[in-house]
Amino acid sequence: MELAEIVRAVRSYRGVARKAPIESVARGLIPGRSGSLLAALGEDSAAIRHGREVLLLAADGIIQDLVDKDPRWAGYCSVLVNANDIAAMGGLPVAAVNVLSCGDARVRSSMVKGMREACDKFGVPMVGGHLHPDTPYAAVDVAMLGRTTQSRLVLSSGARAGDSVVFAMDIDGRFTPGIPYSWDTTSRKSPEDVQARLGTMHEVAPMLSAGKDISNPGALGTLGMLLESSSKGAQVDVDRIPRPARKDLLQWLLAYQGCGFVVTCDPKKADKLCSGFESAGLTAGICGRVEPGRLLRLRLGGDEETLFDFSKDRFGCSGAQKI
């Protein structure tokens, strides 16, 4: 596949393009640094100092297309995406609540079944929520509380020039039937295996300078969010990104990962970091380096292209707090 084609596809991908409005909403609502708030804008979860611990608070709504196509999987993913957000910050989940909007009892039952399955899989109790039983549409939203310590808190904004860029993914999975960009690595694994893989970020957190879970923008789009938050650029060799055998490269790069992370670290720690991910069942690779400047540059098969120029491209992650 031509690198220029990958660049065009990633830049126009819905999971990337729909991020731009976030910043205007966040800046209208999220306060600046105050009191116990450690980080919020540009992060996967808000980080709040609470005694010797750091509380993590995440929230996600599931895209309407998925709710309409597969309500059970939408309910499952509403828990999964929040568990990934907590893990990406070096945290462990504590509990979740939901907002469920659905007037169709059959569809509502499917979404509840999916949430229940995911709560059991990820070991996160659903402790409350709110139901709208009379809406003309179906929607599911979940918020999750997690915890960590300041020494294990992983921010998106900490990448440093010269750091290694590491992708770590669970390649033991399958694309969800009928949903081509959903890479499912959890539904057929035991809760013990799923929780062990997800807990790896908490274990390796002290080695990291920055990190995010690979979500709607795909592998390269998620790296773009991290770099924008860190006010840095990077150079990445696309063919070094872990990938299952015989899977289409573009589909893989755009996939929402059931369990996948992009992180940065001191190059001296990169091999040890990869070993830590590998020991938990993830496949990890050192794929590039963080650079000064504002460009995310890609290499593939001798070609080089600029994917994002953060002097003009926006994910809504700029101006993140740095601690």
Side-chain angles (χ1 to χ4, degrees):
M1 170 170 264
E2 296 291 332
L3 183 57
E5 182 183 352
I6 291 174
V7 168
R8 286 193 296 270
V10 172
R11 288 185 59 84
S12 63
Y13 182 50
R14 183 182 181 189
V16 170
R18 69 196 299 265
K19 292 291 183 181
I22 292 174
E23 189 170 6
S24 63
V25 175
R27 292 197 180 281
L29 292 172
I30 296 176
R33 188 182 302 279
S34 62
S36 58
L37 181 65
L38 296 174
L41 179 61
E43 303 297 342
D44 291 304
S45 309
I48 305 158
R49 185 185 292 107
H50 182 69
R52 295 182 178 181
E53 288 194 315
V54 175
L55 299 180
L56 302 171
L57 188 59
D60 266 296
I62 299 302
I63 194 168
Q64 191 66 46
D65 295 358
L66 180 54
V67 176
D68 294 340
K69 185 170 291 186
D70 191 337
R72 185 201 66 82
W73 188 239
Y76 187 99
C77 289
S78 69
V79 176
L80 177 149
V81 297
N82 280 281
N84 281 340
D85 282 345
I86 296 296
M89 303 282 289
L92 301 170
V94 174
V97 295
N98 72 85
V99 177
L100 187 57
S101 305
C102 185
D104 185 318
R106 180 186 58 82
V107 173
R108 188 166 65 238
S109 177
S110 293
M111 290 193 287
V112 169
K113 181 180 179 182
M115 282 193 284
R116 174 76 272 161
E117 291 173 359
C119 286
D120 293 342
K121 188 76 70 172
F122 291 96
V124 186
M126 186 70 69
V127 297
H130 183 81
L131 172 65
H132 295 288
D134 48 8
T135 57
Y137 59 89
V140 57
D141 310 279
V142 166
M144 189 173 291
L145 179 69
R147 63 181 177 83
T148 189
T149 61
Q150 191 149 339
S151 65
R152 293 183 182 273
L153 177 62
V154 180
L155 300 182
S156 301
S157 55
R160 302 162 300 205
D163 278 353
S164 293
V165 175
V166 173
F167 283 89
M169 294 127 138
D170 186 351
I171 64 174
D172 175 25
R174 63 173 183 168
F175 284 107
T176 306
I179 307 170
Y181 296 111
S182 169
W183 179 249
D184 174 21
T185 64
T186 65
S187 66
R188 297 190 294 176
K189 290 188 175 75
S190 70
E192 293 76 18
D193 284 347
V194 168
Q195 292 170 37
R197 282 166 168 78
L198 207 60
T200 309
M201 281 291 285
H202 182 73
E203 298 302 320
V204 304
M207 289 188 276
L208 305 180
S209 55
K212 293 189 83 68
D213 69 298
I214 298 171
S215 56
N216 269 332
L220 296 172
T222 300
L223 173 59
M225 295 172 69
L226 183 154
L227 293 171
E228 184 189 26
S229 182
S230 295
S231 302
K232 295 292 184 293
Q235 179 176 285
V236 168
D237 292 310
V238 174
D239 55 3
R240 293 187 180 181
I241 297 175
R243 176 163 55 118
R246 296 181 296 279
K247 296 300 182 185
D248 178 76
L249 176 59
L250 183 57
Q251 184 183 14
W252 178 249
L253 292 175
L254 297 179
Y256 192 118
Q257 297 287 324
C259 183
F261 304 95
V262 57
V263 301
T264 60
C265 69
D266 186 315
K268 296 177 183 177
K269 300 177 181 178
D271 287 334
K272 183 178 179 181
L273 173 63
C274 289
S275 295
F277 281 122
E278 298 271 355
S279 66
L282 303 181
T283 301
I286 303 168
C287 305
R289 67 176 182 274
V290 179
E291 298 182 331
R294 305 305 301 275
L295 303 179
L296 172 50
R297 300 182 295 134
L298 306 180
R299 287 181 173 177
L300 180 66
D303 294 330
E304 184 174 314
E305 296 275 350
T306 295
L307 177 59
F308 299 120
D309 177 351
F310 300 110
S311 67
K312 53 187 178 182
D313 294 322
R314 293 285 187 271
F315 282 94
C317 298
S318 61
Q321 294 162 331
K322 297 174 175 59
I323 61 174

